[in-house]
Amino acid sequence: MPKHGVVIIGTGLAGYTTAKEFRKNDPETPLTLITDSDGAFYSKPMLSNAYGTNKLPTQLATQNAEQMADTLKAKVLTHRHVMEIDLNDSVVLTQSGDNILFDRLVLAIGASPIVPPLEGNALERIHQVNSLADYARFRGDLAEPRKVAIIGAGLIGCEFANDLRRGGHEVSVFGPDALPLSNLLPAQAASELKTELGGIGVDWQLGSAVKTVNLNDEQFELILANGQSHQADVMLSAIGLRANLQLAKQAGLSTARGIVTDRFLQTSSPNVYALGDCAEVEGLFLPFVLPIMSAARALGKTLAGEKTSVQYPAMPVVIKTPAYPLVVSSPPAGAEGNWQIEETGTGLRCLLKNGLGQLVGFALTQDCVKERQALVKELPPLLNT
Amino acid sequence: MRKWQCTICGYIYDEQLGQPDHGIPPGTAWEDVPEDFSCPDCGVSKEDFEMIEAS
């Protein structure tokens, strides 16, 4: 009988879902979660449509750390910053001086927003939203209608653009590519997305990167590579995520884009596992909700003694832009294909087919999003046993 | 009739309404919703739903 039990670093969706799945299979073994936050449970995807669903940041936290500890029969150590993992002695060291011993360790330490490469004096005042606490600060600056500049026309940039317009703010979106979501969508769908969000008042400033941002008298001035200048009251940067690797590197674990794991989510050290936005599972770095749920289910069993590999079916991503509903399923790594686009009159059905005519990915818009469930069954899995 | 909510994205399955777009007729009890049902908004599985309202 192990005496120290399972320790999970991180109480985001990956950490808490793993704990929940573990408890379904093992109600007894000691379980400890460590977080530098307040440990409240919330769903991160809800941050980018909270206006549309009339939710305040406080309402997004559905359970506090005590309630989670109670439900999970676990210790939840909050406001603890992990400084170091010592694999020789199987101990986690925190800044406040705790030494937490483990038999098995799970890293669910997430990713951090990429800091935009900007000149100027305003970098520290540009919001990045990757946690409920970040979001609460951001909403604090949006108590009255403001002029908001979003850097990044990807998934999060587009979702916030739509949501903040619903919240009554002026929104401009900046990015170097000519179209939004250009890495996920065929040009025709991206172009319609641009038009429809434009229709609800989103101002697109695409095709030239933001180079410099200065803050003077609480007004941001953005200067683009093409020399144009724009003003804003509030700024949000949403240009992507990078896995948090520092702890793992310092502990001597293998890392690439994420902490490297096999299909059992085991890192290069036995008894140490990783999942979620910090992990690269069999070469796949997939910072989305669905991979987290699949991984947590497998890991919950493995930690309880029933070694279980992760299965990734095709995992479509719903993009929360109600002005132009969208769902995208990206092809498996290395799969090539050509887009076949059909206009149905009430949306676009964009099918990505390989040289053999097999479906490898899709993008569905407007009313066509209903076809997702049927099409997903035709797609190859991303990771199979 | 009861309502079930996705714990991840907030989507609500209302037994009274069903989910006809996904082949689940109005009036379908949660127990009779297929096990491979996934959230129409965020795609997580049936077990990630919680009951929010019973009437």
Side-chain angles (χ1 to χ4, degrees):
Chain A
M1 183 73 183
K3 52 183 195 277
H4 306 302
V6 173
V7 172
I8 299 174
I9 307 178
T11 57
L13 202 52
Y16 271 143
T17 308
T18 301
K20 196 169 90 180
E21 294 295 328
F22 174 60
R23 274 294 178 245
K24 280 186 193 168
N25 299 290
D26 179 340
E28 297 297 332
T29 300
L31 174 62
T32 306
L33 294 100
I34 310 171
T35 174
D36 54 9
S37 76
D38 65 6
F41 178 81
Y42 69 99
S43 165
K44 195 179 292 175
M46 290 195 193
L47 299 181
S48 52
N49 68 344
Y51 265 115
T53 52
N54 287 317
K55 289 227 165 79
L56 294 168
T58 46
Q59 294 170 301
L60 290 170
T62 49
Q63 294 194 75
N64 64 29
E66 291 75 35
Q67 291 166 320
M68 291 304 290
D70 199 41
T71 312
L72 295 167
K73 287 183 281 171
K75 263 195 251 177
V76 180
L77 305 175
T78 61
H79 304 293
R80 304 290 212 291
H81 181 68
V82 173
M83 296 294 288
E84 193 184 331
I85 299 162
D86 182 336
L87 293 176
N88 292 325
D89 294 336
S90 297
V91 63
V92 173
L93 310 171
T94 73
Q95 197 166 28
S96 44
D98 313 88
N99 292 351
I100 300 149
L101 291 158
F102 61 85
D103 296 312
R104 275 159 304 158
L105 179 68
V106 177
L107 303 175
I109 53 182
S112 298
I114 295 171
V115 177
L118 293 172
E119 293 164 28
N121 68 359
L123 199 56
E124 285 180 6
R125 291 287 303 277
I126 299 175
H127 287 280
Q128 299 191 304
V129 174
N130 192 40
S131 70
L132 185 55
D134 292 343
Y135 183 65
R137 280 190 291 273
F138 182 51
R139 278 289 284 265
D141 276 358
L142 297 171
E144 56 195 67
R146 308 300 293 271
K147 191 170 162 55
V148 184
I150 298 175
I151 298 181
L155 193 150
I156 299 295
C158 289
E159 290 186 348
F160 270 115
N162 198 150
D163 202 45
L164 297 182
R165 274 304 298 153
R166 289 172 103 184
H169 302 283
E170 281 182 59
V171 179
S172 300
V173 182
F174 298 80
D177 298 333
L179 290 170
L181 279 175
S182 49
N183 59 337
L184 288 178
L185 295 179
Q188 189 178 347
S191 172
E192 287 193 5
L193 171 68
K194 186 178 173 214
T195 304
E196 293 298 325
L197 284 182
I200 62 160
V202 172
D203 166 48
W204 297 103
Q205 296 293 338
L206 300 178
S208 181
V210 179
K211 220 175 149 213
T212 305
V213 180
N214 285 309
L215 183 67
N216 298 305
D217 295 332
E218 293 303 300
Q219 272 287 306
F220 290 96
E221 185 193 27
L222 292 75
I223 301 161
L224 309 190
N226 65 11
Q228 283 183 18
S229 123
H230 296 266
Q231 304 286 322
D233 303 321
V234 177
M235 285 192 65
L236 172 70
S237 170
I239 58 169
L241 293 174
R242 194 168 282 153
N244 293 327
L245 300 178
Q246 199 197 333
L247 267 183
K249 280 186 178 168
Q250 164 271 323
L253 299 172
S254 297
T255 62
R257 282 223 285 167
I259 301 166
V260 171
T261 83
D262 62 14
R263 60 183 60 228
F264 298 96
L265 302 163
Q266 186 183 302
T267 66
S268 54
S269 174
N271 299 321
V272 181
Y273 301 84
L275 83 164
D277 294 359
C278 69
E280 183 178 314
V281 180
E282 289 268 321
L284 299 171
F285 176 69
L286 301 167
F288 300 105
V289 169
L290 274 173
I292 291 177
M293 305 315 263
S294 301
R297 256 176 230 128
L299 187 54
K301 288 192 178 135
T302 298
L303 291 170
E306 183 192 337
K307 197 171 178 185
T308 304
S309 69
V310 180
Q311 314 269 336
Y312 285 151
M315 294 179 283
V317 176
V318 175
I319 296 155
K320 298 190 291 296
T321 44
Y324 188 70
L326 261 175
V327 55
V328 178
S329 192
S330 295
E336 305 244 336
N338 289 310
W339 286 108
Q340 296 178 5
I341 300 177
E342 296 164 52
E343 296 177 29
T344 66
T346 52
L348 297 179
R349 183 189 297 124
C350 314
L351 305 178
L352 190 66
K353 295 204 171 168
N354 66 15
L356 302 169
Q358 293 158 330
L359 189 69
V360 292
F362 61 70
L364 305 170
T365 81
Q366 297 178 301
D367 271 5
C368 291
V369 299
K370 292 174 189 168
E371 298 170 21
R372 180 188 73 195
Q373 303 275 84
L375 282 171
V376 134
K377 297 189 172 115
E378 294 178 34
L379 286 172
L382 293 185
L383 182 63
N384 219 342
T385 40
Chain B
M1 292 274 122
R2 298 165 301 172
K3 288 180 183 174
W4 296 74
Q5 184 170 37
C6 171
T7 55
I8 303 309
C9 74
Y11 167 85
I12 292 168
Y13 175 82
D14 184 333
E15 292 182 335
Q16 200 164 351
L17 303 176
Q19 180 53 249
D21 291 341
H22 295 84
I24 301 168
T28 304
W30 184 245
E31 291 75 17
D32 299 327
V33 170
E35 288 307 309
D36 67 354
F37 174 79
S38 65
C39 174
D41 281 359
C42 77
V44 301
S45 66
K46 187 179 171 185
E47 62 189 77
D48 296 308
F49 279 69
E50 284 174 356
M51 187 167 62
I52 52 163
E53 203 176 293
S55 59

